[in-house]
Amino acid sequence: MSQLISNMWLSFLLILTFLYILYKYMTRHFSYWKDRNVFHLKPIPFVGNMWPVLSFRRCMGEFLKDLYDSTDQDYIGCFLLDKPALILRSPKLIKNIILHDFNYFSDRIATAESDVIMSNSVFFKKGPMWKTLRERLSPVFSSGKLKSMSKLIITEADSMANYIDKFVNIPNIDSKEICAKYSTNVIAVSAFGIKAHCFDSETAEFRNISRNMFKFSLSNTVRQAGCFLFPNVIDIFKIRLFENWILERLQQIFTEVMSIRVDMEKRNDMIDILLQQKREKNMSDYALLAQAIQFFLAGFETISTTMSFFLYEMAIHPEIQERLRKEILKSISENGGISYEAVQDMKYLNMCLSETLRKYPVMSILDRTCTMDYKVPGSDYVIKKGQIIFVPLLGLHYDSKYFPDPEKFDPERFQNMSNFNNDGFSYIPFGAGPKNCIGARFGLLSLKIGLSTIMSKYELCPSSHTPSKMQFEPKHVFLQSAKGTALEFRPL
């Protein structure tokens, strides 16, 4: 009996010793910001300042906005578990870091080193390789290429309208799912050169893939949040960004399409550009596949989510909806239909879309890693090599200094785009500088064609399940509605 008690005490002491060592290890950096005289909130052992995110009370964008709102300093320190991270508040400093002094902050935090496919994408590439890869992909998004792609996009927008016709005058239709089907079709035909048929079948393969890429699950949360917040852990355990079956199936599809398209007539889409790069620059199959998959995942989520937030705002602001519809119908009449040229002329549509991107930046944070010691202009503070940097877009976009009455949906803010970002970056929904979103123009074109098609045919009305106030889903990496965007589509 005494031996048993002795063993229990020994086990207890070993556990206490382990917990003490773990506590000391996880708090070893907690004096970091205090030592540098940087404003910060008091961290909690083992979680740092991350408890609101880890407990699924706030999404990452809202968490950083809360930190942003806690002070008026140019920057604020925080802790990702035990790791110090710097949150930027000053638009002028942000502009310096992601534009003027880009060479000090050329790398993103995110990693996919353990993923043989995604590690080759331009998003995850670090050092000089990302620049070479980006230059090779830039021709995909030239004005000429976009104009050619617009015909494919218009066809998918018409398919969307035919699909919506099945649900007119029915309340509480899930507008996000409609937008997701549209964006999946657009990306599949533009990037992969194949028809996804999402409006023809509820079990369409590409829609199943896109749905599983971003559905909430513990696995997806660890994979996708981890690559941005805890890249070292992702690398150590060799965790891939997406489930194996998703990447393997996309690889099969892509390989089949590439082999078929080699001898076919050019379509002026992404596949043509990638085939050209393979011939002229000897790009590997993994590198080619990575760009197509990145285009698919980034474009799908950005387009579908922004569209659904846009439709929501139109439904709860009928006066704005009506004014926009008049512009769209006038432009369609003058141009003989929806076209590349027609959507470029829709000034109020652009204003409404810009305001939607202000309130709902899908990727609500920008991240960078300091690659060389950097002295912050006008201060004695030096950002050390390896320091994690965050730019909180929700904080900036909801700051009343830059956007009075920020909760209000007010497209008039964007009547003159030249008023923005002159002295610093306060409005950057697609990022800025050399690493801004390479597909932003394609995304905007797809959004304008899809939205103008819907607005020209249907009145958007709120339903009983339409949120009266938008709340964001805390379990998702990207900005999402926690209660969906249920609407009613009424034919004009």
Side-chain angles (χ1 to χ4, degrees):
M1 188 66 168
S2 61
Q3 183 64 39
L4 177 61
I5 294 174
S6 177
N7 288 340
M8 289 177 62
W9 271 108
L10 179 60
S11 299
F12 181 67
L13 288 173
L14 288 173
I15 291 171
L16 283 181
T17 301
F18 171 77
L19 290 176
Y20 177 74
I21 293 172
L22 183 62
Y23 168 82
K24 295 297 288 184
Y25 178 80
M26 293 296 293
T27 60
R28 68 196 186 283
H29 296 311
F30 277 11
S31 65
Y32 186 90
W33 296 120
K34 183 179 179 181
D35 294 343
R36 288 158 178 78
N37 197 30
V38 173
F39 178 85
H40 63 284
L41 301 182
K42 185 178 180 180
I44 301 172
F46 303 106
V47 297
N49 299 119
M50 292 290 291
W51 180 243
V53 176
L54 297 175
S55 60
F56 297 123
R57 296 181 181 181
R58 306 286 275 175
C59 68
M60 190 64 184
E62 289 179 302
F63 164 68
L64 292 181
K65 180 182 182 299
D66 293 341
L67 293 177
Y68 179 100
D69 292 339
S70 67
T71 182
D72 59 359
Q73 301 292 315
D74 286 350
Y75 41 84
I76 176 174
C78 78
F79 292 92
L80 307 179
L81 302 186
D82 65 317
K83 182 175 266 187
L86 188 70
I87 293 96
L88 307 182
R89 295 188 74 262
S90 162
K92 187 174 182 179
L93 178 57
I94 292 168
K95 191 170 188 176
N96 283 337
I97 282 180
I98 66 178
L99 179 62
H100 299 313
D101 299 321
F102 171 77
N103 288 338
Y104 290 84
F105 302 92
S106 57
D107 288 347
R108 289 190 171 95
I109 304 168
T111 185
E113 291 303 314
S114 57
D115 190 323
V116 68
I117 295 175
M118 296 311 299
S119 61
N120 283 281
S121 75
V122 68
F123 183 88
F124 290 106
K125 276 294 182 187
K126 301 182 187 297
M129 276 302 298
W130 80 266
K131 185 176 182 181
T132 302
L133 195 52
R134 185 181 173 103
E135 288 173 351
R136 293 178 181 179
L137 295 175
S138 294
V140 176
F141 305 105
S142 67
S143 297
K145 291 290 192 297
L146 290 176
K147 188 172 181 178
S148 297
M149 287 186 198
S150 67
K151 299 171 185 177
L152 301 173
I153 299 171
I154 290 168
T155 298
E156 298 306 332
D158 290 338
S159 297
M160 175 175 60
N162 293 334
Y163 181 79
I164 294 174
D165 281 342
K166 302 175 183 178
F167 304 100
V168 295
N169 298 320
I170 300 175
N172 296 316
I173 297 300
D174 183 1
S175 66
K176 174 62 190 295
E177 179 59 21
I178 292 173
C179 297
K181 290 176 185 291
Y182 166 73
S183 64
T184 303
N185 277 1
V186 166
I187 298 298
V189 75
S190 301
F192 287 80
I194 60 176
K195 299 286 285 185
H197 299 293
C198 291
F199 292 122
D200 302 326
S201 171
E202 295 301 319
T203 59
E205 183 176 26
F206 259 97
R207 180 67 191 112
N208 182 51
I209 290 173
S210 62
R211 186 181 290 115
N212 279 280
M213 272 182 160
F214 297 107
K215 73 177 181 180
F216 172 71
S217 67
L218 182 59
S219 172
N220 275 351
T221 299
V222 171
R223 294 171 189 275
Q224 294 163 22
C227 80
F228 289 97
L229 300 178
F230 316 112
N232 292 337
V233 176
I234 296 297
D235 286 341
I236 289 171
F237 290 98
K238 300 187 180 304
I239 299 172
R240 304 183 78 181
L241 186 62
F242 300 105
E243 293 179 77
N244 288 339
W245 74 266
I246 292 176
L247 293 173
E248 288 169 2
R249 182 57 186 138
L250 286 174
Q251 183 175 5
Q252 290 172 358
I253 295 171
F254 181 81
T255 302
E256 291 170 8
V257 170
M258 291 285 285
S259 62
I260 294 170
R261 290 284 297 279
V262 168
D263 299 318
M264 288 179 61
E265 184 179 347
K266 285 189 176 183
R267 290 165 49 110
N268 289 313
D269 58 9
M270 189 172 188
I271 295 293
D272 283 338
I273 297 294
L274 294 178
L275 284 171
Q276 180 181 348
Q277 292 299 319
K278 184 175 183 179
R279 289 192 301 269
E280 297 177 1
K281 306 295 183 180
N282 198 30
M283 285 180 68
S284 70
D285 289 341
Y286 280 141
L288 297 173
L289 175 61
Q291 311 326 313
I293 293 178
Q294 178 187 314
F295 187 41
F296 178 78
L297 69 92
F300 155 72
E301 188 63 27
T302 302
I303 294 169
S304 62
T305 301
T306 303
M307 277 187 75
S308 63
F309 281 133
F310 183 102
L311 297 177
Y312 165 77
E313 290 289 351
M314 291 300 107
I316 63 175
H317 294 99
E319 70 289 349
I320 296 177
Q321 180 183 166
E322 186 56 31
R323 177 180 169 183
L324 176 57
R325 182 175 292 108
K326 288 179 180 178
E327 178 191 70
I328 291 172
L329 293 176
K330 181 175 182 292
S331 179
I332 289 174
S333 176
E334 292 174 350
N335 289 276
I338 294 175
S339 64
Y340 177 84
E341 292 79 12
V343 296
Q344 306 305 322
D345 293 336
M346 297 178 188
K347 183 177 180 180
Y348 195 61
L349 173 61
N350 193 63
M351 291 163 60
C352 292
L353 193 49
S354 296
E355 177 68 343
T356 301
L357 290 166
R358 179 192 70 81
K359 288 193 70 177
Y360 311 107
V362 178
M363 195 70 176
S364 57
I365 57 175
L366 301 181
D367 65 281
R368 294 290 187 271
T369 300
C370 185
T371 58
M372 297 179 284
D373 286 1
Y374 175 81
K375 186 176 182 297
V376 175
S379 79
D380 296 327
Y381 176 55
V382 175
I383 300 176
K384 293 294 185 179
K385 180 181 178 180
Q387 179 67 68
I388 290 174
I389 308 290
F390 287 119
V391 178
L393 297 194
L394 278 184
L396 290 164
H397 290 188
Y398 280 78
D399 192 326
S400 59
K401 293 197 298 291
Y402 316 121
F403 302 99
D405 196 4
E407 296 289 341
K408 180 182 179 182
F409 186 83
D410 182 12
E412 297 300 322
R413 304 179 201 273
F414 295 93
Q415 191 167 16
N416 187 353
M417 291 296 292
S418 65
N419 292 335
F420 293 93
N421 297 338
N422 293 319
D423 297 325
F425 286 153
S426 57
Y427 178 72
I428 42 176
F430 290 106
K435 279 202 168 179
N436 68 334
C437 176
I438 190 173
R441 293 178 65 206
F442 173 84
L444 287 170
L445 177 63
S446 302
L447 284 163
K448 290 177 180 179
I449 290 174
L451 292 169
S452 57
T453 299
I454 292 175
M455 298 288 292
S456 68
K457 296 177 181 294
Y458 309 100
E459 178 187 2
L460 306 167
C461 302
S463 297
S464 58
H465 294 167
T466 305
S468 57
K469 179 177 173 58
M470 186 58 65
Q471 295 178 335
F472 299 127
E473 174 55 64
K475 302 181 184 70
H476 209 285
V477 174
F478 298 104
L479 214 60
Q480 298 280 345
S481 170
K483 298 183 178 180
T485 49
L487 302 175
E488 181 177 343
F489 295 83
R490 297 177 183 172
L492 296 180

